[in-house]
Amino acid sequence: MVPRSTAAATALIEAAGEDAIDDHPEAGHNATVLLGFLAQHLAGRLPGGVPGARVCVAGLHTGDLHNKVYGAGRLLLNLAYPTTEAGHALTRALEDELDSGLAEFAHRFADRPALARTAAEARDVTALHWLKRGLPALDAHDPWAERLLTDAGIPYAAPDEPACTCDAIWMHGVPDAYTAVYGPGDLEANHAHAAGEFADLHDLEAFATGVASLLERFARAASHF
């Protein structure tokens, strides 16, 4: 059980330039090269900058043809963070690193004929949109609830155990409430959200036993109020 839950911000970096044909690639904006460069730049610079945060460089799409320069495209990033303050720091870091990435791209490709227009106009055709940001992260503390859970025999994860991102964040700071994430299995070992996801029977049975024990002790404690 983990009394914490990370929240996440989702960034969309969009290129909105002009297409070109393969015979004259210099005539358009090459969103594939631009967004690909920004993807590797952000992957190399963002992780590790904010303690406890995780950076997922996700989907990148410009087009499917081999004989066309695509001027438009989209790059998505998911930024998970353990506290609201860390979330603010991470979104600011992405904005700063995107700015530095565009500057580096313009410098590196200015003298490449096929990419000179893209380099010169990279800032003009690139925009950052936040699909979500500013969400709270869960970090629950309550001595009464913690004693109840310990008495129920439900083990807490180690304090440095990484939390996952889930809807428990919406209970952060709610008065007279204690919220924790409790369930069977292991996100990595059980391939959560991936091919081959599974749960062991003994984990499910232990989880069910823990829920029953918690309900019993909660009912006893509540009867004294």
Side-chain angles (χ1 to χ4, degrees), residues 30-210:
N30 197 316
T32 304
V33 178
L34 173 59
L35 294 177
F37 180 89
L38 292 174
Q40 64 85 29
H41 176 83
L42 294 170
R45 300 290 290 272
L46 275 181
V50 177
R54 294 193 295 273
V55 177
C56 173
V57 180
L60 191 163
H61 183 75
T62 55
D64 301 313
L65 297 177
H66 69 282
N67 59 348
K68 178 179 179 178
V69 171
Y70 289 95
R74 296 157 54 94
L75 169 64
L76 288 164
L77 297 96
N78 209 51
L79 313 175
Y81 50 88
T83 66
T84 303
E85 293 74 19
H88 293 322
L90 193 55
T91 54
R92 287 194 301 269
L94 184 140
E95 291 168 347
D96 292 343
E97 290 299 344
L98 175 60
D99 185 71
S100 68
L102 287 168
E104 185 176 342
F105 179 88
H107 174 74
R108 180 173 298 189
F109 294 100
D111 61 351
R112 303 297 175 94
L115 295 167
R117 184 185 180 192
T118 308
E121 301 174 9
R123 290 188 184 277
D124 298 330
V125 301
T126 304
L128 169 63
H129 307 286
W130 289 104
L131 302 185
K132 63 180 179 183
R133 65 172 167 173
L135 302 183
L138 174 69
D139 187 17
H141 301 278
D142 184 275
W144 181 86
E146 291 163 358
R147 285 195 302 271
L148 183 73
L149 290 161
T150 299
D151 291 344
I154 297 177
Y156 275 92
D160 58 351
E161 181 80 13
C164 65
T165 301
C166 71
D167 289 336
I169 60 173
W170 299 114
M171 293 300 293
H172 177 74
V174 174
D176 301 320
Y178 178 85
T179 303
V181 181
Y182 177 50
D186 178 271
L187 290 176
E188 184 175 356
N190 293 90
H191 307 295
H193 295 187
E197 182 177 9
F198 70 98
D200 286 325
L201 180 59
H202 69 83
D203 285 335
L204 294 170
E205 291 174 338
F207 171 66
T209 300

